Amino acid sequence: MSERVEDIAEAMVQNGQGILAADESTGTVKKRFDSIGVDNTEENRQAYRELLFRTADAMNNSIGGVILFEETLFQKAADGTPFVDLIRKAGAVPGIKVDMGAKSMPLLAGETVTEGLDGLRERLAKYYEAGARFAKWRAVIAIDDVRPTVGGIKANAHALARYAALCQEAGIVPIVEPEVQMDADPATHTIERCHEVTDAVLHTVFNELHQQNVKLEGMVLKPNMVVPGSKCVTQCPPEVVAHHTLSVLRRAVPAAVAGIAFLSGGQSELEATANLNAMNSGKNLPWPLTFSYGRALQASALSAWGGAAGNVGAAQAAFTQRAKMNSLAAKGEWKEELETA
Ligand code: 5MM
């Protein structure tokens, strides 16, 4: 009997569990590996991902799902165990990034639309067969004084909904990720501008999801937090970020959605944890609010590893720490003192 998307979605985000975004495409891995002086070979990518997936404490206690890039979905650990089995054994759900990247819109300068719908039905069947039970599609929304345009928002929202519907048809939970960028250039926008844009984007996305009959109980939303651009002179403390983010989410996201798992978007590890914690502190929310971080879960682990087999233990300790801190934040139980305890 096939599992229900509602049950899979719930399992991914419950009880302070979050999602490890390890779906960096090969080009993005190159940027990350360049920063630690490691060659971007398949062998190194496999060794690094194995280190993460074998971090028992983090995987068993804090991670409910792992987003993989296609190469990793079909890869094996050094002892021949498929990565999908390692992840399942840790009690987490394996997932797959299925979009083909954000491509520039021909007549809307500075905006992108994410491609990858052609042939997606067939690819989803193959990924299901390989063990993936959720998928991810990321729309990248530019932000400045004039962008995004209504046309840019609509094109991305429409594609997100078409992707989500195809996923649910295949028995796969869609993670719907409309990312309003915080670290694009120029990133001088204020938190108020991010509030306005995120609100418009989420309303359009949920309108499209509704029109295409997507079951909200069987999806996870992966939004940006409402924050000022990273180069804006006025930065905001966690309480202010939480206030703006929750006010947008409460107005735009139906209570039926199974869960909300934020991206970190270029925030430091500590900022991403503190902001998530502030959102979960004593508020009565209709959905679990958790993390689906890439950089904010991996930055310390990556630099502790540095490509050396002898550093695997140190890298795993760093990953365990971030996973644990974010899991506490997803329950509103994190305190800064715990970082050094
Ligand atoms: C892990 O990075 C994903 C993007 O990979 P590509 O740019 O190579 O396609 C990204 O979608 C990620 O899942 C989310 O943005 C969350 O990652 P951050 O680092 O923003 O938390």
Side-chain angles (χ1 to χ4, degrees):
M1 204 181 71
S2 71
E3 309 132 284
R4 298 179 341 134
V5 282
E6 295 91 316
D7 300 331
I8 303 168
E10 196 186 323
M12 288 160 57
V13 293
Q14 67 188 348
N15 301 329
Q17 301 224 81
I19 294 165
L20 166 63
D23 59 312
E24 297 87 356
S25 50
T26 309
T28 302
V29 175
K30 178 167 170 22
K31 283 192 220 154
R32 307 279 184 265
F33 280 9
D34 281 351
S35 74
I36 53 166
V38 170
D39 289 341
N40 185 20
T41 60
E42 184 174 351
E43 199 186 347
N44 285 336
R45 292 194 293 275
Q46 185 264 356
Y48 175 62
R49 262 77 184 244
E50 176 162 1
L51 163 177
L52 294 175
F53 307 155
R54 284 202 190 273
T55 304
D57 188 338
M59 293 294 298
N60 294 338
N61 301 315
S62 312
I63 302 295
V66 182
I67 318 174
L68 305 169
F69 186 56
E70 192 181 43
E71 173 186 88
T72 326
L73 180 72
F74 296 99
Q75 234 165 15
K76 293 181 171 140
D79 68 358
T81 312
F83 276 157
V84 165
D85 290 349
L86 273 190
I87 294 167
R88 279 202 204 114
K89 231 179 257 165
V93 183
I96 169 90
K97 182 232 297 293
V98 299
D99 68 64
M100 309 289 271
K103 305 286 157 58
S104 63
M105 293 196 77
L107 301 178
L108 292 176
E111 290 187 274
T112 59
V113 65
T114 302
E115 295 185 352
L117 289 169
D118 290 349
L120 181 57
R121 179 177 268 139
E122 293 72 26
R123 285 197 289 132
L124 286 168
K126 185 175 85 176
Y127 298 147
Y128 187 96
E129 184 66 31
R133 289 295 177 274
F134 74 91
K136 192 202 84 173
W137 178 290
R138 171 170 165 252
V140 180
I141 310 289
I143 172 170
D144 58 23
D145 292 348
V146 293
R147 277 168 283 256
T149 60
V150 171
I153 296 175
K154 271 194 178 164
N156 278 292
H158 181 79
L160 277 166
R162 286 202 51 205
Y163 138 83
L166 282 163
C167 285
Q168 291 189 340
E169 176 191 74
I172 287 180
V173 170
I175 292 190
V176 172
E177 181 180 4
E179 174 178 5
V180 178
Q181 291 198 292
M182 64 171 281
D183 62 353
D185 218 11
T188 48
H189 59 271
T190 60
I191 195 167
E192 287 79 15
R193 178 70 181 139
C194 184
H195 184 127
E196 182 179 49
V197 170
T198 306
D199 184 70
V201 167
L202 291 178
H203 275 102
T204 312
V205 167
F206 279 98
N207 191 32
E208 285 287 344
L209 290 167
H210 177 68
Q211 287 173 357
Q212 296 188 45
N213 220 9
V214 172
K215 198 185 283 179
L216 302 182
E217 294 82 351
M219 65 158 275
V220 171
L221 177 71
K222 177 165 174 169
N224 53 286
M225 295 180 190
V226 176
V227 289
S230 48
K231 291 179 197 145
C232 178
V233 282
T234 315
Q235 291 297 316
C236 300
E239 298 66 38
V240 175
V241 171
H243 168 76
H244 279 276
T245 308
L246 290 179
S247 114
V248 169
L249 294 177
R250 281 202 175 101
R251 288 177 187 159
V253 183
V257 166
I260 298 179
F262 291 102
L263 59 94
S264 59
Q267 298 175 48
S268 71
E269 290 179 328
L270 216 56
E271 277 167 348
T273 304
N275 287 338
L276 178 63
N277 188 65
M279 284 188 250
N280 280 304
S281 297
K283 318 275 182 344
N284 192 11
L285 302 169
W287 352 253
L289 272 193
T290 187
F291 57 93
S292 174
Y293 297 160
R295 287 162 285 180
L297 266 179
Q298 298 183 51
S300 300
L302 193 67
S303 65
W305 177 56
N311 294 337
V312 164
Q316 290 181 322
F319 175 42
T320 300
Q321 167 78 354
R322 289 308 348 128
K324 194 181 284 178
M325 294 297 112
N326 285 308
S327 176
L328 288 170
K331 295 183 275 191
E333 293 171 5
W334 173 84
K335 290 187 183 53
E336 191 154 6
E337 306 88 86
L338 295 170
E339 291 288 343
T340 46

